[in-house]
Protein backbone atom coordinates (compact mmCIF):
# COMPACT_ATOMS: atom_id res chain seq x y z
CA UNK A 1 0.00 0.00 0.00
CA UNK A 2 3.09 2.16 -0.31
CA UNK A 3 2.70 2.75 -4.03
CA UNK A 4 0.80 5.41 -5.93
CA UNK A 5 -0.80 4.54 -9.26
CA UNK A 6 -0.05 6.84 -12.23
CA UNK A 7 -3.56 8.27 -11.82
CA UNK A 8 -2.98 9.01 -8.14
CA UNK A 9 0.35 10.65 -8.90
CA UNK A 10 -1.22 12.85 -11.54
CA UNK A 11 -4.03 13.83 -9.17
CA UNK A 12 -1.51 14.63 -6.44
CA UNK A 13 0.47 16.88 -8.80
CA UNK A 14 -2.63 18.74 -10.03
CA UNK A 15 -4.06 19.33 -6.56
CA UNK A 16 -0.73 20.47 -5.16
CA UNK A 17 0.20 22.84 -7.97
CA UNK A 18 -3.33 24.35 -8.14
CA UNK A 19 -3.16 25.03 -4.42
CA UNK A 20 0.31 26.57 -4.76
CA UNK A 21 -0.70 28.93 -7.54
CA UNK A 22 -3.58 30.25 -5.43
CA UNK A 23 -1.80 30.37 -2.08
CA UNK A 24 1.91 30.99 -2.59
CA UNK A 25 3.52 33.76 -0.59
CA UNK A 26 4.68 36.90 -2.32
CA UNK A 27 8.44 36.76 -1.91
CA UNK A 28 10.96 39.06 -3.56
CA UNK A 29 12.79 36.24 -5.36
CA UNK A 30 9.49 35.24 -6.96
CA UNK A 31 9.06 38.70 -8.51
CA UNK A 32 10.64 38.84 -11.96
CA UNK A 33 12.46 35.61 -11.10
CA UNK A 34 15.86 34.71 -12.50
CA UNK A 35 18.50 32.16 -11.56
CA UNK A 36 20.57 34.67 -9.58
CA UNK A 37 17.63 35.48 -7.28
CA UNK A 38 16.89 31.76 -6.90
CA UNK A 39 20.55 31.11 -6.13
CA UNK A 40 20.74 33.86 -3.47
CA UNK A 41 17.49 32.81 -1.81
CA UNK A 42 18.41 29.12 -1.75
CA UNK A 43 21.79 29.79 -0.13
CA UNK A 44 20.38 32.30 2.36
CA UNK A 45 17.44 30.18 3.46
CA UNK A 46 19.53 27.16 4.45
CA UNK A 47 19.21 26.85 8.24
CA UNK A 48 17.34 30.17 8.23
CA UNK A 49 13.65 31.10 8.23
CA UNK A 50 12.13 33.15 5.42
CA UNK A 51 11.46 35.98 7.92
CA UNK A 52 15.13 36.07 8.98
CA UNK A 53 16.41 35.74 5.43
CA UNK A 54 14.21 38.42 3.78
CA UNK A 55 16.11 41.56 4.87
CA UNK A 56 19.41 39.91 3.92
CA UNK A 57 18.12 39.00 0.47
CA UNK A 58 17.09 42.63 -0.09
CA UNK A 59 20.47 43.88 1.15
CA UNK A 60 22.34 41.56 -1.20
CA UNK A 61 20.20 42.34 -4.25
CA UNK A 62 20.62 46.09 -3.59
CA UNK A 63 24.38 45.86 -3.09
CA UNK A 64 25.10 43.17 -5.67
CA UNK A 65 22.43 43.29 -8.39
CA UNK A 66 24.28 40.72 -10.52
CA UNK A 67 26.57 37.74 -10.00
CA UNK A 68 29.43 39.85 -11.41
CA UNK A 69 28.89 42.53 -8.75
CA UNK A 70 29.00 39.78 -6.12
CA UNK A 71 32.15 38.24 -7.63
CA UNK A 72 33.91 41.62 -7.83
CA UNK A 73 33.18 42.50 -4.20
CA UNK A 74 35.65 42.18 -1.31
CA UNK A 75 35.03 39.14 0.91
CA UNK A 76 34.99 41.38 3.99
CA UNK A 77 32.14 43.41 2.45
CA UNK A 78 30.13 40.21 1.88
CA UNK A 79 30.79 39.04 5.44
CA UNK A 80 29.78 42.46 6.75
CA UNK A 81 26.44 42.36 4.91
CA UNK A 82 25.93 38.73 5.94
CA UNK A 83 26.79 39.43 9.56
CA UNK A 84 23.91 38.34 11.83
CA UNK A 85 22.69 35.53 9.57
CA UNK A 86 25.14 32.95 10.99
CA UNK A 87 26.75 29.96 9.26
CA UNK A 88 29.35 32.26 7.71
CA UNK A 89 30.90 29.54 5.56
CA UNK A 90 27.88 30.06 3.31
CA UNK A 91 28.85 33.70 2.74
CA UNK A 92 32.48 32.87 1.98
CA UNK A 93 31.41 30.07 -0.36
CA UNK A 94 29.00 32.44 -2.05
CA UNK A 95 31.89 34.73 -2.91
CA UNK A 96 34.00 31.81 -4.24
CA UNK A 97 30.97 30.56 -6.19
CA UNK A 98 30.35 33.96 -7.78
CA UNK A 99 33.98 34.15 -8.90
CA UNK A 100 33.85 30.65 -10.37
CA UNK A 101 30.58 31.34 -12.21
CA UNK A 102 32.03 34.62 -13.55
CA UNK A 103 35.34 33.07 -14.64
CA UNK A 104 34.44 29.55 -15.73
CA UNK A 105 30.79 29.74 -16.80
CA UNK A 106 30.64 33.17 -18.47
CA UNK A 107 28.59 34.56 -15.54
CA UNK A 108 25.76 32.06 -16.17
CA UNK A 109 24.72 29.31 -13.78
CA UNK A 110 25.64 25.96 -15.42
CA UNK A 111 22.68 23.91 -16.63
CA UNK A 112 24.45 20.61 -16.06
CA UNK A 113 24.00 18.93 -12.65
CA UNK A 114 27.65 17.85 -12.32
CA UNK A 115 28.88 21.32 -13.27
CA UNK A 116 26.47 22.80 -10.72
CA UNK A 117 27.94 20.52 -8.02
CA UNK A 118 31.44 21.79 -8.83
CA UNK A 119 30.49 25.25 -7.55
CA UNK A 120 31.53 26.00 -3.94
CA UNK A 121 28.63 25.77 -1.50
CA UNK A 122 26.36 23.90 -3.94
CA UNK A 123 25.33 20.41 -2.80
CA UNK A 124 22.75 18.02 -4.23
CA UNK A 125 19.85 19.90 -2.65
CA UNK A 126 20.84 23.39 -3.87
CA UNK A 127 21.78 22.12 -7.34
CA UNK A 128 18.39 20.41 -7.71
CA UNK A 129 16.53 23.47 -6.41
CA UNK A 130 18.25 25.98 -8.73
CA UNK A 131 18.19 23.77 -11.82
CA UNK A 132 14.52 22.90 -11.40
CA UNK A 133 13.18 26.28 -10.26
CA UNK A 134 15.27 28.50 -12.54
CA UNK A 135 15.63 26.22 -15.60
CA UNK A 136 12.79 23.70 -15.19
CA UNK A 137 15.19 20.75 -15.16
CA UNK A 138 13.80 17.47 -13.86
CA UNK A 139 15.37 17.18 -10.42
CA UNK A 140 13.44 16.38 -7.25
CA UNK A 141 14.19 18.70 -4.32
CA UNK A 142 14.25 17.28 -0.81
CA UNK A 143 14.72 19.80 1.99
CA UNK A 144 13.45 19.58 5.58
CA UNK A 145 9.94 20.66 4.59
CA UNK A 146 9.70 18.19 1.73
CA UNK A 147 11.07 15.35 3.90
CA UNK A 148 8.31 15.96 6.39
CA UNK A 149 5.56 16.11 3.76
CA UNK A 150 6.73 12.92 2.03
CA UNK A 151 7.24 10.98 5.23
CA UNK A 152 3.62 11.80 6.13
CA UNK A 153 2.15 11.22 2.67
CA UNK A 154 3.70 7.72 2.61
CA UNK A 155 3.49 7.16 6.39
CA UNK A 156 7.24 6.52 6.62
CA UNK A 157 7.76 6.10 10.33
CA UNK A 158 11.50 5.26 10.42
CA UNK A 159 13.97 7.71 11.97
CA UNK A 160 14.19 10.66 9.58
CA UNK A 161 17.84 11.25 10.57
CA UNK A 162 18.93 7.93 9.03
CA UNK A 163 20.45 8.13 5.57
CA UNK A 164 18.44 5.02 4.56
CA UNK A 165 15.23 6.92 5.42
CA UNK A 166 16.39 9.98 3.48
CA UNK A 167 17.13 7.71 0.52
CA UNK A 168 13.63 6.28 0.68
CA UNK A 169 12.16 9.79 0.88
CA UNK A 170 14.21 10.93 -2.13
CA UNK A 171 12.90 7.97 -4.14
CA UNK A 172 9.34 8.95 -3.25
CA UNK A 173 10.03 12.58 -4.17
CA UNK A 174 11.26 11.44 -7.60
CA UNK A 175 8.14 9.31 -7.98
CA UNK A 176 5.82 12.23 -7.30
CA UNK A 177 7.78 14.86 -9.27
CA UNK A 178 5.91 16.36 -12.21
CA UNK A 179 8.33 16.04 -15.18
CA UNK A 180 6.43 18.71 -17.11
CA UNK A 181 6.71 21.33 -14.36
CA UNK A 182 9.46 20.22 -11.97
CA UNK A 183 10.26 23.73 -10.74
CA UNK A 184 6.67 24.61 -9.95
CA UNK A 185 6.11 21.22 -8.34
CA UNK A 186 9.21 21.51 -6.12
CA UNK A 187 8.28 25.01 -5.01
CA UNK A 188 4.76 23.79 -4.26
CA UNK A 189 6.04 20.91 -2.11
CA UNK A 190 8.30 23.23 -0.12
CA UNK A 191 5.47 25.74 0.31
CA UNK A 192 3.08 23.03 1.50
CA UNK A 193 5.61 22.04 4.17
CA UNK A 194 6.12 25.66 5.19
CA UNK A 195 2.46 26.71 5.32
CA UNK A 196 0.22 23.65 5.83
CA UNK A 197 2.17 20.49 6.67
CA UNK A 198 4.04 22.18 9.51
CA UNK A 199 6.03 20.25 12.15
CA UNK A 200 3.42 20.89 14.86
CA UNK A 201 -0.32 21.00 14.26
CA UNK A 202 -0.41 20.61 10.49
CA UNK A 203 -3.56 22.05 8.94
CA UNK A 204 -4.78 18.77 7.45
CA UNK A 205 -8.32 20.07 6.91
CA UNK A 206 -7.03 22.63 4.41
CA UNK A 207 -4.37 20.43 2.86
CA UNK A 208 -4.85 19.97 -0.90
CA UNK A 209 -3.53 16.39 -0.78
CA UNK A 210 -5.17 15.20 2.43
CA UNK A 211 -7.15 12.48 0.67
CA UNK A 212 -3.90 10.88 -0.46
CA UNK A 213 -2.07 11.21 2.85
CA UNK A 214 -1.38 7.87 4.54
CA UNK A 215 -0.37 9.41 7.87
CA UNK A 216 -3.71 11.24 7.97
CA UNK A 217 -5.62 8.08 7.07
CA UNK A 218 -3.81 6.09 9.78
CA UNK A 219 -4.08 8.87 12.37
CA UNK A 220 -0.27 9.05 12.60
CA UNK A 221 0.23 12.71 11.71
CA UNK A 222 1.62 13.58 15.16
CA UNK A 223 4.00 10.61 15.22
CA UNK A 224 5.52 11.18 11.76
CA UNK A 225 8.21 12.14 11.01
CA UNK A 226 10.05 10.42 13.85
CA UNK A 227 13.36 12.05 14.73
CA UNK A 228 15.76 10.38 17.18
CA UNK A 229 17.13 12.69 19.90
CA UNK A 230 20.09 14.85 18.83
CA UNK A 231 23.56 14.17 20.30
CA UNK A 232 24.44 16.43 23.23
CA UNK A 233 26.44 19.49 22.16
CA UNK A 234 29.94 20.13 23.45
CA UNK A 235 29.91 22.76 26.18
CA UNK A 236 32.47 25.57 25.85
CA UNK A 237 33.23 28.59 28.02
CA UNK A 238 34.76 31.80 26.77
CA UNK A 239 36.03 34.87 28.54
CA UNK A 240 35.79 37.81 26.16
CA UNK A 241 38.08 40.80 26.60
CA UNK A 242 37.00 44.33 25.80
CA UNK A 243 40.55 45.67 25.81
CA UNK A 244 40.69 49.47 26.06
CA UNK A 245 43.63 51.75 25.53
CA UNK A 246 43.48 55.52 24.85
CA UNK A 247 39.70 55.38 24.27
CA UNK A 248 40.11 52.73 21.61
CA UNK A 249 38.90 49.15 21.73
CA UNK A 250 40.68 46.11 20.35
CA UNK A 251 38.92 44.06 17.68
CA UNK A 252 40.55 40.94 16.24
CA UNK A 253 40.11 38.97 13.03
CA UNK A 254 39.72 35.20 13.29
CA UNK A 255 41.89 32.92 11.16
CA UNK A 256 40.79 32.21 7.59
CA UNK A 257 39.87 28.60 8.34
CA UNK A 258 37.72 26.90 10.96
CA UNK A 259 34.68 28.09 12.86
CA UNK A 260 33.67 31.70 12.01
CA UNK A 261 36.66 32.03 9.69
CA UNK A 262 37.53 35.60 8.73
CA UNK A 263 34.94 37.14 11.10
CA UNK A 264 35.85 39.79 13.67
CA UNK A 265 35.40 39.54 17.43
CA UNK A 266 36.66 40.80 20.76
CA UNK A 267 39.66 38.73 21.84
CA UNK A 268 38.64 35.50 23.52
CA UNK A 269 40.23 33.15 26.01
CA UNK A 270 38.73 29.68 26.27
CA UNK A 271 38.42 28.43 29.86
CA UNK A 272 37.17 25.22 31.39
CA UNK A 273 33.92 25.26 33.37
CA UNK A 274 35.70 25.60 36.73
CA UNK A 275 37.97 28.44 35.60
CA UNK A 276 35.00 30.21 34.05
CA UNK A 277 32.94 30.02 37.23
CA UNK A 278 35.82 31.15 39.47
CA UNK A 279 37.05 33.93 37.20
CA UNK A 280 37.87 37.16 39.01
CA UNK A 281 39.92 40.33 38.56
CA UNK A 282 42.96 38.85 40.25
CA UNK A 283 43.56 36.28 37.52
CA UNK A 284 43.19 38.68 34.59
CA UNK A 285 46.92 39.25 34.18
CA UNK A 286 47.51 35.65 33.16
CA UNK A 287 45.67 36.32 29.91
CA UNK A 288 47.21 37.92 26.83
CA UNK A 289 50.00 39.39 28.98
CA UNK A 290 47.48 42.00 30.06
CA UNK A 291 48.35 44.56 32.69
CA UNK A 292 45.05 45.82 33.94
CA UNK A 293 44.96 49.38 35.29
CA UNK A 294 41.64 49.62 36.99
CA UNK A 295 38.52 47.87 38.19
CA UNK A 296 36.91 45.68 35.56
CA UNK A 297 33.32 45.76 34.40
CA UNK A 298 31.74 42.42 33.63
CA UNK A 299 28.88 41.76 31.28
CA UNK A 300 26.03 39.37 32.01
CA UNK A 301 26.66 35.77 31.00
CA UNK A 302 25.42 34.90 27.52
CA UNK A 303 24.75 31.66 25.71
CA UNK A 304 25.01 30.96 22.02
CA UNK A 305 24.18 27.73 20.21
CA UNK A 306 26.24 26.53 17.26
CA UNK A 307 25.36 23.31 15.48
CA UNK A 308 27.76 21.24 17.67
CA UNK A 309 28.69 23.68 20.43
CA UNK A 310 26.80 25.15 23.39
CA UNK A 311 28.81 28.26 24.23
CA UNK A 312 28.60 30.24 27.48
CA UNK A 313 30.55 33.49 27.55
CA UNK A 314 31.05 36.66 29.47
CA UNK A 315 32.80 39.89 28.57
CA UNK A 316 35.10 41.88 30.79
CA UNK A 317 36.15 45.48 30.12
CA UNK A 318 39.84 45.85 30.77
CA UNK A 319 41.87 49.09 30.65
CA UNK A 320 45.45 48.55 29.56
CA UNK A 321 48.69 50.39 30.27
CA UNK A 322 49.87 50.00 26.71
CA UNK A 323 48.56 48.72 23.40
CA UNK A 324 50.87 45.75 23.08
CA UNK A 325 48.85 42.55 23.50
CA UNK A 326 49.70 38.96 22.67
CA UNK A 327 46.97 37.81 20.31
CA UNK A 328 48.74 34.95 18.59
CA UNK A 329 45.48 33.10 17.88
CA UNK A 330 44.34 35.89 15.62
CA UNK A 331 45.06 36.84 12.05
CA UNK A 332 45.29 40.55 12.88
CA UNK A 333 43.85 43.10 15.30
CA UNK A 334 42.93 46.77 15.25
CA UNK A 335 42.34 49.51 17.77
CA UNK A 336 39.04 51.21 16.95
CA UNK A 337 36.78 53.98 18.18
CA UNK A 338 33.48 52.72 19.56
CA UNK A 339 31.55 53.85 16.44
CA UNK A 340 34.02 52.09 14.13
CA UNK A 341 33.23 48.70 15.71
CA UNK A 342 29.93 48.70 13.83
CA UNK A 343 31.73 48.78 10.45
CA UNK A 344 33.22 45.30 10.89
CA UNK A 345 31.65 41.87 10.30
CA UNK A 346 31.28 40.80 13.94
CA UNK A 347 29.67 37.38 14.44
CA UNK A 348 26.36 36.94 16.26
CA UNK A 349 27.65 35.92 19.69
CA UNK A 350 29.82 39.03 19.96
CA UNK A 351 27.12 41.26 18.51
CA UNK A 352 25.32 40.66 21.80
CA UNK A 353 28.38 42.03 23.56
CA UNK A 354 28.44 45.01 21.23
CA UNK A 355 24.79 45.68 22.17
CA UNK A 356 25.72 45.45 25.84
CA UNK A 357 28.56 47.97 25.29
CA UNK A 358 26.15 50.24 23.45
CA UNK A 359 23.76 50.13 26.42
CA UNK A 360 26.64 51.20 28.73
CA UNK A 361 27.63 54.07 26.42
CA UNK A 362 24.07 55.34 25.94
CA UNK A 363 22.93 54.59 29.52
S1 LIG B 1 -2.93 15.74 5.28
FE1 LIG B 1 -1.88 16.68 6.97
S2 LIG B 1 -0.11 15.40 7.37
FE2 LIG B 1 -0.89 14.85 5.35
S3 LIG B 1 0.32 16.07 3.93
FE3 LIG B 1 -1.53 17.22 4.37
S4 LIG B 1 -1.01 18.55 6.12
FE4 LIG B 1 0.56 16.98 5.95
Amino acid sequence: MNKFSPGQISEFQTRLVDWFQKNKRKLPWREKPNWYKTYLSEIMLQQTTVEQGLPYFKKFIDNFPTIIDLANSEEQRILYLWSGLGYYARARNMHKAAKKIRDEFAAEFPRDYKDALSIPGIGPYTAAAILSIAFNKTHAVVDGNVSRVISRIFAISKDIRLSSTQKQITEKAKLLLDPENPGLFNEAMMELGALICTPLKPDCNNCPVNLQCRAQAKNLVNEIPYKSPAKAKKKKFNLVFILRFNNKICLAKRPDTGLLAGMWEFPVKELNAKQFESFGENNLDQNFGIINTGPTVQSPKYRHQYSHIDLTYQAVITDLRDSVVQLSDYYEYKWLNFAELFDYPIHNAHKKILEWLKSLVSG
Side-chain angles (χ1 to χ4, degrees), residues 149 152-153 192 196-197 202-204 207 209-210 213 216 221:
V149 171
R152 284 173 174 165
I153 292 286
L192 186 74
I196 300 278
C197 194
D203 187 4
C204 299
C207 174
V209 291
N210 54 9
C213 179
Q216 157 87 339
V221 169

Side-chain angles (χ1 to χ4, degrees), residues 93-254:
N93 276 333
M94 190 183 249
H95 192 216
K96 286 183 202 145
K99 287 196 274 192
K100 184 167 174 123
I101 293 170
R102 178 194 64 193
D103 299 340
E104 295 179 30
F105 296 103
E108 273 294 322
F109 196 86
R111 309 300 200 262
D112 178 74
Y113 185 71
K114 270 194 186 155
D115 284 344
L117 287 180
S118 75
I119 294 174
I122 301 275
Y125 161 76
T126 332
I130 298 169
L131 290 174
S132 66
I133 295 169
F135 305 116
N136 215 29
K137 298 269 184 189
T138 315
H139 295 284
V141 168
V142 182
D143 68 351
N145 281 330
V146 175
S147 281
R148 183 171 60 254
V149 171
I150 296 215
S151 64
R152 284 173 174 165
I153 292 286
F154 291 95
I156 297 170
S157 53
K158 287 185 287 176
D159 184 358
I160 202 158
R161 286 189 202 274
L162 295 175
S163 58
S164 57
T165 312
Q166 280 303 317
K167 209 172 152 201
Q168 188 183 3
I169 287 172
T170 303
E171 287 309 313
K172 297 296 183 199
K174 286 180 186 166
L175 182 80
L176 292 179
L177 183 68
D178 179 355
E180 300 295 318
N181 289 305
L184 203 56
F185 178 87
N186 283 333
E187 278 198 277
M189 284 290 274
M190 290 190 270
E191 197 80 335
L192 186 74
L195 300 182
I196 300 278
C197 194
T198 47
L200 300 174
K201 297 190 183 160
D203 187 4
C204 299
N205 289 338
N206 290 308
C207 174
V209 291
N210 54 9
L211 294 178
Q212 292 171 289
C213 179
R214 307 266 158 82
Q216 157 87 339
K218 294 179 176 179
N219 204 16
L220 287 173
V221 169
N222 294 325
E223 279 77 56
I224 294 176
Y226 166 69
K227 206 175 198 181
S228 56
K231 278 188 199 152
K233 293 184 182 187
K234 191 172 178 194
K235 286 187 185 295
K236 285 199 173 193
F237 302 89
N238 278 352
L239 191 57
V240 181
F241 288 89
I242 313 297
L243 302 176
R244 282 197 306 204
F245 177 72
N246 265 355
N247 282 330
K248 300 230 173 181
I249 293 173
C250 182
L251 199 64
K253 188 180 178 195
R254 291 180 64 90

Side-chain angles (χ1 to χ4, degrees), residues 61-78:
I61 280 288
D62 288 346
N63 282 274
F64 314 116
T66 68
I67 192 81
I68 294 178
D69 297 316
L70 186 62
N72 292 347
S73 166
E74 294 290 319
E75 185 184 90
Q76 282 291 300
R77 173 97 185 121
I78 292 173

Side-chain angles (χ1 to χ4, degrees), residues 204-335:
C204 299
N205 289 338
N206 290 308
C207 174
V209 291
N210 54 9
L211 294 178
Q212 292 171 289
C213 179
R214 307 266 158 82
Q216 157 87 339
K218 294 179 176 179
N219 204 16
L220 287 173
V221 169
N222 294 325
E223 279 77 56
I224 294 176
Y226 166 69
K227 206 175 198 181
S228 56
K231 278 188 199 152
K233 293 184 182 187
K234 191 172 178 194
K235 286 187 185 295
K236 285 199 173 193
F237 302 89
N238 278 352
L239 191 57
V240 181
F241 288 89
I242 313 297
L243 302 176
R244 282 197 306 204
F245 177 72
N246 265 355
N247 282 330
K248 300 230 173 181
I249 293 173
C250 182
L251 199 64
K253 188 180 178 195
R254 291 180 64 90
D256 279 343
T257 53
L259 184 70
L260 305 170
M263 299 297 289
W264 290 74
E265 66 181 17
F266 303 104
V268 158
K269 194 84 177 172
E270 189 175 338
L271 304 177
N272 62 36
K274 203 171 157 202
Q275 289 168 326
F276 186 77
E277 287 311 323
S278 61
F279 160 74
E281 268 180 44
N282 51 2
N283 49 18
L284 250 188
D285 293 2
Q286 297 152 13
N287 298 288
F288 303 127
I290 288 165
I291 306 201
N292 186 33
T293 62
T296 58
V297 181
Q298 293 176 21
S299 77
K301 285 180 181 158
Y302 298 102
R303 277 182 88 176
H304 194 84
Q305 302 293 328
Y306 295 98
S307 51
H308 303 298
I309 296 168
D310 174 1
L311 177 68
T312 307
Y313 59 107
Q314 182 173 30
V316 51
I317 300 179
T318 310
D319 287 308
L320 303 184
R321 285 206 200 126
D322 66 47
S323 63
V324 179
V325 283
Q326 295 155 19
L327 299 180
S328 54
D329 289 346
Y330 288 97
Y331 187 74
E332 63 174 292
Y333 64 89
K334 290 181 189 249
W335 291 96

